[in-house]
Amino acid sequence: MSHLKEIFARTDMCTGCQSCRLACAVAHSDSKNLFAAIHETPRAKSRVYVEWLDDQIKVPVLCRHCEDAPCINACIAGAITRSDDNTVITNDDKCIGCWTCVMVCPYGVIGRDKSVRKAYRCDRCPDLEIPACVSACPTEALIYQEVDQYSKSVRKNVARELVTKEGG
Amino acid sequence: MGNRYLIVGGSAAGMAAAHTIRKADETGEVTVLSNESHAPYFRPMIPYIITGKKSASQIILNGSGVFTADTINILTGSKVTSVDPAGKRVTTGAGDIFDYDRILFSSGSRPYMPEDIENLGVDGVFALKTLADAEAMAARSETTEHAVLLGGGILNLKAAFALLEKNIKVTLVVYSPEVLSQLMDPEDAYLVRKALDEAGLVIKTGCSARAVISDDTGVCAVALDNGEEIPCQMICVGKGVIPNLDYLDGTDIRIDKGIVADPFTACSKGDTFAAGDVAVTHDPATGDKTVTALWTHAVEMGICAGLNMTGKKTAYAGTMGIMNATQVADEPFVAMGVVHTRDKDLEVHTDRTDHYFRKMVFSPDGSRLVGAVFVGDITRAGLYRYVIREKMEVERFKNHLVNHTLHYGHFL
């Protein structure tokens, strides 16, 4: 399914500005509006996380929608399924908040909504052309591309860096 | 003609294998023999049948999670009574005969019913294992004022909350000094215990049932070994499970506390495989042989067995002997790997507060994480499981393990 788009994160571009988190929370709020979302109860939650490594490197982390997803295997309620566009989805109606998915996710990107006792994670914004976090990122640290396309751009960047280094 | 795959047992491991085979081998014929009367369902969901929050049709496997393949031949009410591995043939209790090319033993486990408790056979005594058990408990609960649950494991806790929700008084009788003794040391369960006490559960530790007392309505009381007699209309036994292996008696399939499987889920005879509660596998945390009874493990191992059965050689990563997560009342918890640390040569870091408890267990030299317990705050527990399972050298992020600040960036 490599022709389907995924969200990629570039740690070399992320400034840790948290714009993605804000946009994600708004996109998953009832009102879809920042000023209204602030007053919603329970408060809208971001599904993307920006982790800090030392003081230099910022790492945006979100659900990878793994090909062999441990959470799908683990879910005791049958609440987690893979949709046609390859996105791993948690069905709120079926989720019972047993947190087995939290126990097995190797990226640590499944959140717990304590007020409703449901697990939540990135759904790649199914109603938007481009996921809200990607649109909001001012430095293109988050990229929404097909795998082939992205790896080609990574190779180009590496080649360019090598040339620059050798030249310099 | 395609391969004939035969699967003994229609729960997590068997059905995960069946769906995996179906997707990997389109021409194969996949047959599942289940001794239960219900079509395969999400077994851990049966406490919701007691409360009535879910109906049987809402917890069926087909169409959810990894169980999305079509055309699997599922025969319910088919209990396998004997296997002839040389002749590649099984016989069921009804006398039906099935020939196969490859077979998976995924017959699961059954509740352990202690023989030293007298009169366990009467109406109103349950062990919550099957959907049928849950339905029977739901029916009995209509006339139950007080239920006594024997055993303080995770399954009985789930049953207890289901019954409390129906306004039934529940007493938990636990032989160990504290509940959840399989998943944590007694002193580490204080927050869980507080949550249980506040939820109204009556817990008696350090004692066990001696006999069930009955009249013409079935159970009417239970006698404990401390002399106490508790009137009750329902008893639920949660004393662990034992693997279903009887049908392999007399075969040369190697058994040692369970069916011995190699790293590729294969048994000691050609074209035989094992997965789930019946299979003996290895624990990546301790290196020991282990048998676990966890849905998650059964699914993972079933998928692996399914791939191996279709010729896609796939090594099984193993199962931690101890691994579970759930939430009781408002208290979530996760326990995995080496969690019992009393008098053991291990490096242990604990953090005890009124709101959360955590314990990080390292190897004696402190270089590897071998176990973890989180109560109250289970954020990113999966990362810790990954560190344990992959036996990672933890030196460069050890402080983050100890302080529960580990994130994915630390792996880069």
Side-chain angles (χ1 to χ4, degrees):
Chain A
M1 301 230 190
S2 60
H3 58 288
L4 295 167
K5 286 185 175 180
E6 294 182 23
I7 301 170
F8 296 95
R10 292 189 55 175
T11 54
D12 58 335
M13 301 300 279
C14 180
T15 61
C17 73
Q18 313 276 355
S19 299
C20 53
R21 288 178 56 74
L22 205 58
C24 178
V26 172
H28 292 91
S29 67
D30 290 334
S31 59
K32 315 286 181 206
N33 172 293
L34 173 61
F35 301 102
I38 291 169
H39 299 289
E40 282 176 23
T41 321
R43 196 184 289 176
K45 291 173 179 60
S46 172
R47 283 128 165 91
V48 54
Y49 308 87
V50 182
E51 310 292 5
W52 292 60
L53 202 53
D54 307 324
D55 271 343
Q56 301 299 316
I57 304 167
K58 291 91 187 175
V59 188
V61 192
L62 68 173
C63 175
R64 302 309 308 150
H65 302 277
C66 305
E67 197 175 314
D68 183 14
C71 57
I72 298 183
N73 299 346
C75 181
I76 64 170
I80 308 177
T81 43
R82 189 179 297 282
S83 64
D84 294 338
D85 67 355
N86 225 10
T87 305
V88 177
I89 300 283
T90 300
N91 178 342
D92 266 1
D93 292 336
K94 285 192 168 184
C95 178
I96 55 164
C98 72
W99 318 126
T100 310
C101 53
V102 175
M103 176 175 68
V104 300
C105 174
Y107 294 95
V109 289
I110 301 179
R112 290 184 300 128
D113 190 334
K114 292 169 197 166
S115 58
V116 291
R117 200 172 162 179
K118 304 277 179 195
Y120 63 91
R121 70 162 86 230
C122 164
D123 58 4
R124 287 185 182 151
C125 294
D127 301 330
L128 300 176
E129 185 84 10
I130 297 169
C133 58
V134 176
S135 300
C137 180
T139 60
E140 293 184 9
L142 290 172
I143 296 164
Y144 189 50
Q145 260 179 355
E146 293 165 19
V147 175
D148 293 350
Q149 214 182 336
Y150 180 68
S151 49
K152 205 181 281 177
S153 72
V154 170
R155 281 197 298 275
K156 262 188 194 163
N157 279 334
V158 171
R160 193 180 303 131
E161 273 175 31
L162 281 175
V163 169
T164 318
K165 271 180 193 159
E166 278 173 16
Chain B
M1 200 177 85
N3 278 313
R4 291 166 303 174
Y5 299 96
L6 191 63
I7 291 166
V8 183
S11 194
M15 292 308 296
H19 284 267
T20 303
I21 294 168
R22 176 75 297 147
K23 289 171 191 166
D25 179 354
E26 287 177 1
T27 63
E29 188 185 296
V30 186
T31 304
V32 178
L33 303 178
S34 167
N35 65 354
E36 292 190 45
S37 53
H38 291 95
Y41 54 92
F42 284 93
R43 188 179 306 285
M45 296 296 285
I46 58 174
Y48 291 84
I49 298 294
I50 300 175
T51 58
K53 274 188 177 167
K54 302 266 183 199
S55 64
S57 64
Q58 285 175 309
I59 63 167
I60 57 167
L61 278 190
N62 262 355
S64 294
V66 298
F67 310 98
T68 51
D70 293 326
T71 62
I72 292 162
N73 187 21
I74 300 166
L75 302 173
T76 54
S78 298
K79 184 177 169 63
V80 173
T81 48
S82 70
V83 180
D84 171 11
K88 294 194 168 180
R89 169 173 283 193
V90 310
T91 309
T92 69
D96 295 322
I97 287 170
F98 294 88
D99 293 317
Y100 62 84
D101 295 309
R102 282 168 204 155
I103 190 167
L104 176 68
F105 304 126
S106 50
S107 40
S109 55
R110 62 182 182 278
Y112 168 63
M113 303 300 267
E115 283 152 16
D116 55 353
I117 303 176
E118 290 168 33
N119 201 23
L120 267 184
V122 300
D123 279 355
V125 178
F126 300 94
L128 186 55
K129 176 67 183 178
T130 66
L131 180 46
D133 294 332
E135 286 173 344
M137 277 180 78
R140 179 87 184 181
S141 71
E142 298 304 323
T143 54
T144 299
E145 281 176 25
H146 187 188
V148 174
L149 277 49
L150 309 179
I154 203 163
L155 186 62
N156 257 5
L157 291 187
K158 288 182 182 181
F161 274 88
L163 294 168
L164 283 173
E165 229 172 86
K166 301 194 82 173
N167 291 319
I168 293 168
K169 185 181 176 207
V170 181
T171 301
L172 206 61
V173 174
V174 186
Y175 181 70
S176 307
E178 190 49 278
V179 295
L180 294 176
S181 60
Q182 299 284 321
L183 293 176
M184 51 191 87
D185 278 332
E187 63 272 26
D188 300 345
Y190 66 100
L191 287 173
V192 175
R193 177 60 188 265
K194 184 162 169 270
L196 297 175
D197 290 341
E198 284 171 4
L201 201 58
V202 178
I203 302 174
K204 294 178 184 293
T205 55
C207 57
S208 59
R210 187 179 54 75
V212 175
I213 298 160
S214 58
D215 59 18
D216 54 2
T217 63
V219 53
C220 60
V222 60
L224 304 185
D225 59 359
N226 62 6
E228 202 177 339
E229 199 172 296
I230 310 172
C232 61
Q233 297 75 42
M234 180 191 283
I235 290 175
C236 185
V237 182
K239 294 272 191 184
V241 293
I242 43 177
N244 293 320
L245 300 164
D246 301 352
Y247 63 102
L248 293 172
D249 282 352
T251 69
D252 44 9
I253 300 286
R254 197 145 70 86
I255 309 266
D256 180 11
K257 296 193 178 94
I259 304 170
V260 179
D262 74 7
F264 300 94
T265 63
C267 310
S268 56
K269 283 282 144 191
D271 296 323
T272 62
F273 298 81
D277 293 11
V278 288
V280 179
T281 169
H282 65 281
D283 183 339
T286 62
D288 297 339
K289 295 275 180 205
T290 181
V291 182
T292 67
L294 189 73
W295 181 267
T296 302
H297 287 149
V299 171
E300 282 179 355
M301 199 173 184
I303 291 171
C304 187
L307 290 172
N308 284 307
M309 289 171 79
T310 57
K312 291 186 172 59
K313 211 158 185 200
T314 310
Y316 182 54
T319 53
M320 287 187 207
I322 290 164
M323 188 177 109
N324 222 327
T326 198
Q327 176 164 330
V328 291
D330 287 331
E331 216 62 90
F333 67 85
V334 169
M336 49 198 176
V338 179
V339 295
H340 299 108
T341 56
R342 274 187 179 180
D343 307 322
K344 283 191 189 146
D345 179 24
L346 294 160
E347 184 184 313
V348 181
H349 298 256
T350 50
D351 197 351
R352 244 167 249 278
T353 76
D354 291 342
H355 307 290
Y356 66 84
F357 167 81
R358 73 171 170 265
K359 173 149 100 177
M360 292 293 141
V361 185
F362 295 90
S363 55
D365 67 356
S367 69
R368 286 192 170 78
L369 187 70
V370 295
V373 180
F374 299 93
V375 184
D377 181 6
I378 62 165
T379 308
R380 299 194 194 102
L383 292 175
Y384 299 76
R385 172 180 178 254
Y386 186 77
V387 172
I388 298 169
R389 202 186 63 186
E390 301 304 315
K391 301 191 177 74
M392 290 172 86
E393 287 280 355
V394 299
E395 196 186 340
R396 64 198 169 92
F397 49 73
K398 191 169 177 180
N399 61 326
H400 294 292
L401 290 170
V402 171
N403 296 317
H404 197 178
T405 51
L406 186 72
H407 59 66
Y408 180 69
H410 295 121
F411 294 166
L412 298 178

